[in-house]
Amino acid sequence: MTVVTASKPERGVVTLTLDSPANRNALSAALVAELTAALERAGADDGVRAVVLTHTGSTFCSGADLRQPPDPAAFVALMRRIVTLPKPVVARVRGHVRAGGLGLLAACDIAVAGGGESGGASFALTEVRIGVVAAVISIPLLARIDARAAGRYFLTGERFDAAEAARIGLVTAYDDDVDTALAPVLDGLREAAPGALADTKKLLTAKVLSAFDEESDAAIALSAGRFRSAEAQEGMAAFLERRERPWVL
């Protein structure tokens, strides 16, 4: 079953849609593989000027699929591919983003979120609450967001809204109607020269790409080690069984 769909280019913009409602667009091995392949096709298509990454349902991405998780190295490769793609990647978020989903947002060049009560986006780095660590997604996230905010949200797992996401640098813009905020972004990309876009993206992503080159191995090892730990095994079991974790005070 296909979990990522691709539109035909519309005036140079192709839309890739996360479409796995059964697990709230969780990062399964299948979704990571399909999204990577779709990005490769978009990057090689001369008719594509930019990519919009969006979702079905009320959740953009719920984080790692605990039942069918991707290899951490494959997920790092996906985020790195977003960063190195020669076309800008723009996230369009109308719903909830949790854990690994924030890594996808941070890898994108531009992220636009819905901010209204109806369809408003919400965000949380929930890893510590189930005994794991936001290790691999820290590579793009720590290069994008405010350091004090990172300290708070990585450590507490608190939920925050689109206005806060914009304040700390996770998203570029937000509006009650996400497409109202998205329209001028896409218009601007359509007016830009393709070669200049690619070179400008290289300029803007140099630091985060360096972080991938320098930190990926350690982050993958930390992530894999934590997932194998007894603490994480208990936390994930509690999450899947909808019961309280034993360390909650």
Side-chain angles (χ1 to χ4, degrees):
M1 182 180 67
T2 299
V3 291
V4 177
T5 61
S7 71
K8 293 182 178 179
E10 181 182 348
R11 293 178 55 211
V13 176
V14 65
T15 298
L16 304 182
T17 303
L18 307 183
D19 187 17
S20 183
N23 63 3
R24 299 184 301 145
N25 295 323
L27 294 162
S28 63
L31 187 144
V32 167
E34 287 186 24
L35 182 55
T36 301
L39 287 164
E40 292 287 354
R41 290 191 293 270
D45 188 341
D46 291 338
V48 173
R49 181 71 51 81
V51 175
V52 170
L53 179 61
T54 190
H55 60 104
T56 58
S58 61
T59 301
F60 174 79
C61 177
S62 59
D65 186 334
L66 300 182
R67 299 185 189 277
Q68 296 179 319
D71 186 296
F75 183 44
V76 168
L78 168 59
M79 293 187 292
R80 194 180 190 281
R81 191 65 189 110
I82 293 172
V83 172
T84 60
L85 200 77
K87 320 288 174 73
V89 181
V90 181
R92 175 185 177 272
V93 181
R94 295 179 293 103
H96 309 302
V97 191
R98 299 290 182 267
L102 277 75
L104 289 182
L105 291 191
C108 291
D109 302 287
I110 299 169
V112 179
E117 293 183 3
S118 177
S122 73
F123 309 83
L125 288 156
T126 52
E127 285 87 345
V128 291
R129 297 191 176 190
I130 62 167
V132 298
V133 176
V136 296
I137 67 171
S138 72
I139 301 171
L141 270 170
L142 294 181
R144 302 284 197 192
I145 69 174
D146 174 79
R148 283 295 191 186
R152 175 177 180 174
Y153 294 120
F154 271 67
L155 291 170
T156 68
E158 292 172 86
R159 187 174 66 180
F160 54 96
D161 63 12
E164 176 70 352
R167 186 191 72 79
I168 68 176
L170 177 62
V171 303
T172 311
Y174 68 98
D175 193 277
D176 286 357
D177 181 352
V178 65
D179 292 317
T180 296
L182 185 64
V185 172
L186 298 184
D187 287 345
L189 294 176
R190 286 175 170 126
E191 292 190 21
L197 272 182
D199 285 344
T200 300
K201 175 166 177 172
K202 286 182 182 179
L203 178 71
L204 294 170
T205 58
K207 288 185 178 180
V208 69
L209 184 57
S210 293
F212 272 101
D213 293 339
E214 295 169 7
E215 300 168 18
S216 289
D217 289 347
I220 290 168
L222 175 57
S223 178
R226 284 303 309 173
F227 265 89
R228 290 193 299 267
S229 71
E231 192 175 64
Q233 292 299 310
E234 173 59 25
M236 290 187 287
F239 176 82
L240 292 171
E241 295 165 12
R242 299 181 181 276
R243 58 179 170 81
E244 192 62 275
R245 294 137 292 160
W247 51 76
V248 175
L249 300 176

